[in-house]
């Protein structure tokens, strides 16, 4: 009898293991991105689509600003001024279809990218503060569990790296871009606020990045090759660049004819999605690149002028 129970137990475990592996392989990626639907009232919406560009849907469909900066697994995080004053942003979450929308907390946020650690259970965000140098770490309930002061006049777009032990972020030496001497670069700092180090160094002789243009845009971590990618306007064109986590190596990452901007890596590192646009910024598209072959496919059409900031999300 004991032997029979043991056998059945083992069999059940094997079946569960097989089902788990099957479910993992069946998880399908999609893309979410931001669209300016109505220019006159600055109405931004979040759209979803399949990786082949099919089945595009407006998944927010409200008239306030809805803008997504991050997804983890099948959870979509976005900032919105719905039910608040104009450009007063709060954090919400939903799924790929825009279902089960929940407000995460009552913390007003800055307009910034975010990331997570510990299997998505802790989220690092930039709050709307008088002091522009601090990040907050939130738990799954939206409670503030830690604060990170970068001790720079400006800090935004925090990215956990090295298993959440460090944070890469976009920093400035003045509180706003319009103030001379902003000198935007990427920095890395320990999660406890120690050992801040400048990672990127914009070419001294390059003057093509104007006062309001990115010298070093929001960082994204390649999940397997362990470098950080970012957009930068150099030699008169926005392109993607990369920097190693110790800052010892910086290189131009891609060679696309169009300008390249906000972007994201698939969880396995095999795909890169990026916004592409012309010099006049008259049309923005979402592209998908096979990282091995470097083949790029444009997934959007000209129905909307501004289609930006794509990132990956599991559909199920």
């Amino acid at each position: 009898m004991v032997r029979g129970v043991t056998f059945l137990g083992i069999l059940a475990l094997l079946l569960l293991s097989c089902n788990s592996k099957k479910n993992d392989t069946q998880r399908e990626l999609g893309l979410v991105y931001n669209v300016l639907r109505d220019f006159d009232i600055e109405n931004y919406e979040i759209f979803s689509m399949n990786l082949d560009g099919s089945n595009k849907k407006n998944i927010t469909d409200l008239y306030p600003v809805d803008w997504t900066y991050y997804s983890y697994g099948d959870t979509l995080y976005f900032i919105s001024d719905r039910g608040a004053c104009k450009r007063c942003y709060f954090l919400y979450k939903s799924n790929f279809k825009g279902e089960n929308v929940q407000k995460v907390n009552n913390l007003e946020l800055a307009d910034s990218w975010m990331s997570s650690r510990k299997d998505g259970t802790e989220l690092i965000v930039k709050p709307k503060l008088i002091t522009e140098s601090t990040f907050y770490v939130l738990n799954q309930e939206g409670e503030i569990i830690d604060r990170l002061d970068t001790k720079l006049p400006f800090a935004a777009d925090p990215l956990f790296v090295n298993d959440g032990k460090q944070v890469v972020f976009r920093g400035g030496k003045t509180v706003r871009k319009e103030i001379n001497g902003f000198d935007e670069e990427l920095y890395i700092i320990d999660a406890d606020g120690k050992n801040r180090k400048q990672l990127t160094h914009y070419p001294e002789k390059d003057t093509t990045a104007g006062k309001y243009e990115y010298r070093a845009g929001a960082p994204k971590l390649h999940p397997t090759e362990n470098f950080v990618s970012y957009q930068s306007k150099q030699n008169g064109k926005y392109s993607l660049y990369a920097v190693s986590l110790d800052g010892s190596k910086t290189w131009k990452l891609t060679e696309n004819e169009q300008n390249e901007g906000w972007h994201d890596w698939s969880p396995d590192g095999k795909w890169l999605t990026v916004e592409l646009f012309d010099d006049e910024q008259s049309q923005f598209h979402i592209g998908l690149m096979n990282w091995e072959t470097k083949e790029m496919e444009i997934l959007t059409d000209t129905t909307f002028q501004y289609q930006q900031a794509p990132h990956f999300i599991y559909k199920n």
Side-chain angles (χ1 to χ4, degrees):
M1 185 68 176
V2 173
R3 290 171 63 187
V5 171
T6 303
F7 171 75
L8 291 174
I10 293 172
L11 180 61
L13 287 173
L14 288 173
L15 288 171
L16 285 171
S17 176
C18 290
N19 285 335
S20 175
K21 290 177 181 178
K22 184 177 179 181
N23 288 336
D24 284 344
T25 58
Q26 286 181 342
R27 296 190 82 188
E28 185 178 357
L29 280 172
L31 287 171
V32 285
Y33 58 105
N34 302 293
V35 171
L36 179 57
R37 181 170 67 170
D38 191 324
F39 184 86
D40 293 332
I41 61 172
E42 296 181 324
N43 167 224
Y44 284 92
E45 302 284 358
I46 301 169
F47 278 60
S48 66
M49 65 178 164
N50 298 328
L51 293 191
D52 62 1
S54 65
N55 203 27
K56 296 179 179 65
K57 290 185 178 180
N58 182 345
I59 62 172
T60 48
D61 202 17
L62 290 173
Y63 278 94
V65 171
D66 291 314
W67 187 281
T68 178
Y69 278 123
Y70 183 64
S71 294
Y72 183 84
D74 58 3
T75 301
L76 168 71
Y77 291 96
F78 64 96
I79 59 172
S80 177
D81 60 2
R82 59 179 67 187
C85 58
K86 186 175 182 179
R87 303 284 180 169
C88 299
Y89 299 124
F90 293 87
L91 183 61
Y92 291 81
K93 62 181 180 180
S94 69
N95 61 16
F96 174 76
K97 296 180 180 179
E99 302 168 332
N100 306 318
V101 176
Q102 300 175 50
K103 189 177 183 181
V104 174
N105 56 23
N106 290 315
L107 174 68
E108 188 176 353
L109 295 185
D111 194 359
S112 169
W113 288 76
M114 59 193 75
S115 67
S116 69
R117 65 181 177 186
K118 298 182 180 179
D119 295 325
T121 61
E122 293 184 2
L123 197 68
I124 188 167
V125 300
K126 177 177 170 59
K128 184 70 177 290
L129 293 171
I130 297 175
T131 302
E132 297 287 355
S133 61
T134 304
F135 300 125
Y136 285 175
V137 180
L138 311 178
N139 63 15
Q140 286 182 302
E141 288 72 43
E143 300 166 332
I144 301 169
I145 59 173
D146 202 2
R147 293 170 172 82
L148 169 58
D149 185 3
T150 65
K151 295 182 173 58
L152 277 176
F154 176 87
D157 304 323
L159 172 70
F160 278 127
V161 297
N162 291 327
D163 295 322
K165 297 175 183 176
Q166 292 181 297
V167 176
V168 175
F169 65 96
R170 183 171 60 91
K173 296 179 181 177
T174 61
V175 295
R176 291 187 301 277
K177 276 193 171 188
E178 58 264 33
I179 299 176
N180 290 334
F182 187 74
D183 294 341
E184 171 185 76
E185 299 287 358
L186 294 186
Y187 293 80
I188 190 169
I189 191 170
D190 293 348
D192 61 4
K194 298 178 181 178
N195 301 315
R196 188 188 75 214
K197 175 184 176 181
Q198 184 175 328
L199 284 181
T200 60
H201 299 270
Y202 192 77
E204 291 185 8
K205 296 182 179 180
D206 196 327
T207 61
T208 55
K211 184 173 287 189
Y212 297 100
E213 295 172 306
Y214 282 124
R215 290 161 48 117
K220 302 294 289 188
L221 180 67
H222 190 283
T224 60
E225 298 182 29
N226 214 32
F227 62 78
V228 167
S229 54
Y230 61 99
Q231 66 180 110
S232 179
K233 189 170 186 180
Q234 298 184 26
N235 300 314
K237 177 181 176 292
Y238 271 118
S239 298
L240 296 188
Y241 292 80
V243 60
S244 58
L245 290 177
D246 62 3
S248 63
K249 181 183 177 183
T250 303
W251 66 100
K252 194 171 185 288
L253 191 63
T254 50
E255 294 293 343
N256 288 307
E257 291 183 5
Q258 287 193 297
N259 290 272
E260 302 164 310
W262 289 317
H263 60 285
D264 191 31
W265 297 99
S266 62
D268 59 8
K270 294 181 179 180
W271 297 94
L272 169 68
T273 183
V274 59
E275 66 177 42
L276 303 167
F277 53 97
D278 54 76
D279 290 341
E280 292 74 30
Q281 300 191 20
S282 63
Q283 181 65 55
F284 285 75
H285 282 295
I286 305 299
L288 183 67
M289 174 184 281
N290 181 313
W291 185 235
E292 181 179 359
T293 66
K294 301 301 185 289
E295 292 177 313
M296 175 76 78
E297 181 180 0
I298 304 300
L299 303 181
T300 48
D301 55 30
T302 57
T303 302
F304 300 101
Q305 180 181 356
Y306 293 95
Q307 302 166 111
Q308 299 179 273
H311 56 93
F312 293 94
I313 182 173
Y314 281 111
K315 298 166 62 175
N316 55 331

